[in-house]
């Protein structure tokens, strides 16, 4: 029986070999040749195992189970790295947003400062235009004496009483700027305007950063105004405001600048500009008494 099966298989294989060789010689395509070989192999199986459908020989060597590629990290490590990268990306996005907000706020501050500077420059320019003609006005001669009162009819002239310079005491403390201002103030009170002007100007020149510099510059203008020199007084008041805008007597200097312009018979529009500047810049710093004086001055100049 075994011999018969063996001979049958040999005959079948021999029968298959002839058409295969013929197909090779004819140069058929690989795909067609494979199909034919498969059909012929099935025919051989039917001859070798007649009626034995499903009887196939299983291979003795099986392919190993597919494993991960060499160097491929475990899924848990990949998940951890992905989470950390996502956290870093979120942090970078947050920092980027904060930087953009900071840059926006800086631009807002720069715009606000530019607008403030432009407004301040415009106000200073308007005041400078108001006082351009001050320096060209001839000043009254400095005599150092007050004008005597007009004599009564038929009687001799009566000289005005003056406090002698020796009677004005000059303080002497460890603060030279304070001493100079107090001495200048006492001279101004004694109506010794020339000496007061000299002393007050010296304080401003020697101690420009001292708080009494603002006081001295303002009182210097008032001494000139009391001397009947409104043009020189206006210059002193304007310099007090321009050079020491944060000084304690800057508001007073603007108020007396308006008074000096009135005495100079300047147009009411220029006087009103000074009052406007005083209200806009120092409205929250001036006293109630000065507010009343400003209201009176605006009314007298018919300011709107």
């Amino acid at each position: 029986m075994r011999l018969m099966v063996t001979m049958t298989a040999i005959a079948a294989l021999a029968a298959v070999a002839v058409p295969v060789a013929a197909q090779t010689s004819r140069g058929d395509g690989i795909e067609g040749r494979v199909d034919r070989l498969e059909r012929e192999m099935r025919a051989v199986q039917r001859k070798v195992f007649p009626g034995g459908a499903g009887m196939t020989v299983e291979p003795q060597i099986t392919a190993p189970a597919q494993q991960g590629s060499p160097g491929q990290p475990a899924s848990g490590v990949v998940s951890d790295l992905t989470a950390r990268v996502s956290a870093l990306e979120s942090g970078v996005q947050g920092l980027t947003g904060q930087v953009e907000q900071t840059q926006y706020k800086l631009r807002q501050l720069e715009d606000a400062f530019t607008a403030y500077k432009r407004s301040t420059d415009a106000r200073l320019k308007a005041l400078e235009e108001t006082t351009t003609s001050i320096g060209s006005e001839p000043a009254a001669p400095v005599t150092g004496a007050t004008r005597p009162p007009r004599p009564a009819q038929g009687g001799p002239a009566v000289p005005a009483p003056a406090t002698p310079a020796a009677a004005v005491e000059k303080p002497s403390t460890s603060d030279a700027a304070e001493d100079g201002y107090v001495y200048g103030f006492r001279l101004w009170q004694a109506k010794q305007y020339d000496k007061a002007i000299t002393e007050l100007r010296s304080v401003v020149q020697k101690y420009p950063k001292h708080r009494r510099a603002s006081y001295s510059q303002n009182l210097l203008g008032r001494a000139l105004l009391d001397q009947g020199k409104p043009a020189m007084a206006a210059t002193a008041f304007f310099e007090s405001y321009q050079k020491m805008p944060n000084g304690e007597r800057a508001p007073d200097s603007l108020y007396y600048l308006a008074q000096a312009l009135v005495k100079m018979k300047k147009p009411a529009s220029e006087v009103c500009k000074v009052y406007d500047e005083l209200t806009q810049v120092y409205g929250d710093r001036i006293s109630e008494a000065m507010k009343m004086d400003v209201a009176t001055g605006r009314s007298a100049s018919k300011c709107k």
Side-chain angles (χ1 to χ4, degrees):
M1 183 64 181
R2 291 181 180 177
L3 179 60
M4 185 180 295
V5 172
T6 302
M7 294 301 293
T8 303
I10 292 172
L13 290 173
V16 171
V18 174
V20 169
Q23 291 170 3
T24 303
S25 63
R26 289 196 299 269
D28 290 344
I30 296 299
E31 186 175 357
R33 291 164 61 189
V34 170
D35 291 339
R36 290 188 185 91
L37 287 172
E38 288 178 349
R39 287 195 299 271
E40 291 166 353
M41 181 61 65
R42 285 194 293 271
V44 170
Q45 289 180 345
R46 284 194 299 272
K47 292 181 179 181
V48 175
F49 303 103
M55 296 179 63
T56 58
V57 179
E58 294 296 331
Q60 295 181 356
I61 302 175
T62 59
Q66 187 174 1
Q67 298 178 353
S69 301
Q72 181 70 25
S75 60
V77 177
V78 173
S79 300
D80 182 59
L81 289 176
T82 303
R84 291 170 64 184
V85 170
S86 299
L88 288 174
E89 290 176 348
S90 300
V92 170
Q93 291 176 357
L95 290 175
T96 302
Q98 292 178 3
V99 170
E100 291 177 351
Q101 290 179 359
T102 303
Q103 291 176 344
Y104 175 72
K105 291 180 180 179
L106 285 175
R107 286 195 298 269
Q108 284 185 321
L109 290 174
E110 290 175 355
D111 293 342
F113 176 76
T114 301
Y116 171 77
K117 185 176 183 297
R118 188 182 301 112
S119 176
T120 302
D121 291 343
R123 291 197 298 265
L124 286 174
K125 184 177 181 181
L127 286 175
E128 288 175 353
E129 292 175 352
T130 301
T131 56
T132 48
S133 60
I134 292 176
S136 59
E137 180 178 337
V142 179
T143 60
T146 57
R147 180 178 298 176
R150 184 173 298 176
Q153 293 183 355
V158 179
T163 304
V168 178
E169 181 182 0
K170 183 175 182 179
S172 178
T173 66
S174 58
D175 192 339
E178 183 74 19
D179 294 344
Y181 166 71
V182 172
Y183 183 51
F185 179 80
R186 291 174 180 177
L187 290 171
W188 173 74
Q189 280 186 320
K191 297 184 179 181
Q192 298 182 25
Y193 298 125
D194 288 344
K195 294 182 179 296
I197 290 169
T198 301
E199 188 66 28
L200 295 169
R201 185 176 285 124
S202 176
V203 173
V204 175
Q205 293 174 351
K206 292 180 179 179
Y207 313 102
K209 301 298 182 181
H210 198 281
R211 62 183 293 263
R212 287 304 189 185
S214 177
Y215 284 80
S216 298
Q217 184 69 26
N218 176 72
L219 190 57
L220 169 63
R222 293 190 62 181
L224 291 167
L225 195 61
D226 291 340
Q227 254 190 345
K229 303 172 182 177
M232 297 178 66
T235 300
F237 291 132
F238 180 71
E239 288 181 354
S240 175
Y241 169 66
Q242 185 183 41
K243 296 179 180 179
M244 294 171 279
N246 296 321
E248 297 178 50
R249 284 294 183 265
D252 301 74
S253 295
L254 276 181
Y255 172 76
Y256 285 108
L257 173 60
Q259 302 301 307
L261 295 178
V262 170
K263 291 184 178 295
M264 293 170 62
K265 302 186 183 302
K266 291 293 182 179
S269 60
E270 297 184 6
V271 178
C272 294
K273 284 181 181 179
V274 177
Y275 284 132
D276 292 339
E277 183 79 1
L278 172 60
T279 304
Q280 291 175 8
V281 179
Y282 303 110
D284 57 341
R285 288 177 52 182
I286 59 179
S287 63
E288 293 298 326
M290 181 174 287
K291 289 180 180 178
M292 294 179 62
D293 292 339
V294 170
T296 302
R298 292 179 66 88
S299 177
S301 298
K302 298 180 180 180
C303 300
K304 296 181 180 180

